[in-house]
Amino acid sequence: MTTNHLELSGRILRSRRFDSPAGIHHTVLQLEHKSLKTEANMQRQVYCVIQVILSGERFERLTDKLKAGVDIQVSGFIALQQSRNGQSRLVLHAENVELKN
């Protein structure tokens, strides 16, 4: 069995919604994460920006609240996504999203 699960919190930088040609609702977020972690007994500042994709009707009630500046915690799985220009990047496909205050 293989494991693919990621949980991350952060602030939304950008948000956009669209429907796929198959009629599936998608919300795409750009999530900024900042934290302080200990590695090799040293404090390290961690920073990353990752694209988060919310797909399907189960997120529809939440998507109106997912705007730039909102803090969230998201969990899901990561996958490689290839853009139209051929560049690949890791994206987080959300399975659960919680608003943080």
Side-chain angles (χ1 to χ4, degrees):
M1 183 172 153
T2 59
T3 301
N4 182 348
H5 181 80
L6 178 66
E7 188 170 340
L8 198 62
S9 61
R11 178 161 290 163
I12 298 171
L13 297 177
R14 278 194 291 259
S15 174
R16 69 181 176 93
R17 295 190 291 182
F18 67 95
D19 290 342
S20 72
I24 298 171
H25 304 295
H26 298 282
T27 301
V28 179
L29 309 174
Q30 187 174 32
L31 185 68
E32 176 186 53
H33 169 83
K34 296 178 186 178
S35 62
L36 191 61
K37 294 292 180 185
T38 302
E39 181 180 40
N41 294 321
M42 302 278 297
Q43 290 290 311
R44 175 181 178 171
Q45 289 189 10
V46 178
Y47 177 83
C48 68
V49 176
I50 190 168
Q51 182 171 299
V52 179
I53 301 172
L54 293 75
S55 299
E57 294 178 9
R58 66 184 175 155
F59 294 114
E60 278 188 52
R61 291 186 299 145
L62 187 61
T63 54
D64 288 338
K65 298 174 184 169
L66 300 176
K67 300 183 186 306
V70 172
D71 292 326
I72 63 170
Q73 183 162 332
V74 60
S75 62
F77 63 92
I78 57 174
L80 196 61
Q81 183 182 66
Q82 192 168 19
S83 65
R84 292 181 187 151
N85 65 7
Q87 291 185 332
S88 297
R89 64 178 165 193
L90 282 178
V91 298
L92 174 56
H93 290 266
E95 295 174 318
N96 188 49
V97 177
E98 295 177 26
L99 296 172
K100 297 305 227 181
N101 291 335

